[in-house]
Amino acid sequence: MTKEELMRKAITLSEENVAAGGGPFGAVIARNGEIIATGTNRVTPDCDPTAHAEVSAIRAAAQKLGTFDLSGCEIYTSCEPCPMCLGAIYWARLDRMYYGNDKQDAARIGFDDAFIYQELEKDPVQRRLHSERLLSKEAIRAFEAWMAKPDKTEY
């Protein structure tokens, strides 16, 4: 399939998802023009705030391929990803991303992520979400164990 055909599939998924009661987002993960997995926004039907189309597609592709490393794959998404999804795309090591609507289009229909980008720039104590460091001397033990583990799978 061409890039345009794969993007049209993501757009069709987003439209079908709206008709089915979900959010207006769809995503396709492909490798060499072949669809590996798809995802739609399932936040409200699944009561899962992380069930965005891109994350859903990444989960399905990783499961299908049996790996957390999606190098060699591309993602086609009906909208520019939110910060969470963009992070997931980087963590999954997708080679390329294509999107239809941009974040300004999303903001116009009530999906505005600008505040998250602004929050990330702040020192944790200045963020709207109260946070404080707690038991760091105990928490570091897992990191020390990880560093000492000779047979760890790096990711």
Side-chain angles (χ1 to χ4, degrees):
M1 298 178 82
T2 67
K3 292 187 294 190
E4 291 78 11
E5 289 170 323
L6 291 163
M7 179 56 76
R8 282 189 188 100
K9 176 66 175 170
I11 293 167
T12 297
L13 287 167
S14 70
E15 293 169 331
E16 291 172 352
N17 204 50
V18 169
F25 305 98
V28 171
I29 294 180
R31 184 171 54 196
N32 300 322
E34 181 181 325
I35 294 175
I36 302 298
T38 64
T40 57
N41 182 286
R42 302 285 307 158
V43 170
T44 55
D46 292 355
C47 298
D48 180 352
T50 68
H52 291 196
E54 299 89 342
V55 170
S56 297
I58 288 168
R59 289 173 179 161
Q63 191 73 32
K64 182 175 182 178
L65 297 175
T67 181
F68 57 83
D69 185 344
L70 299 180
S71 297
C73 297
E74 303 170 330
I75 189 165
Y76 297 80
T77 180
S78 62
C79 185
E80 184 176 2
C82 74
M84 176 186 71
C85 292
L86 188 58
I89 289 165
Y90 276 104
W91 282 119
R93 297 183 178 98
L94 289 156
D95 288 356
R96 189 173 291 257
M97 176 179 72
Y98 300 93
Y99 59 92
N101 296 308
D102 67 16
K103 59 187 172 186
Q104 288 80 21
D105 296 324
R108 280 192 287 278
I109 64 162
F111 294 93
D112 191 353
D113 300 319
F115 80 95
I116 296 174
Y117 288 106
Q118 293 164 3
E119 287 286 296
L120 291 173
E121 292 294 319
K122 296 177 183 177
D123 186 272
V125 297
Q126 295 175 332
R127 293 180 185 155
R128 188 168 65 181
L129 176 64
H130 173 78
S131 64
E132 65 181 271
R133 194 166 183 187
L134 188 63
L135 300 176
S136 60
K137 289 180 180 162
E138 292 176 36
I140 200 70
R141 292 191 305 248
F143 282 13
E144 291 166 346
W146 172 259
M147 288 302 298
K149 186 173 176 58
D151 60 342
K152 63 184 168 253
T153 301
E154 305 245 1
Y155 59 95

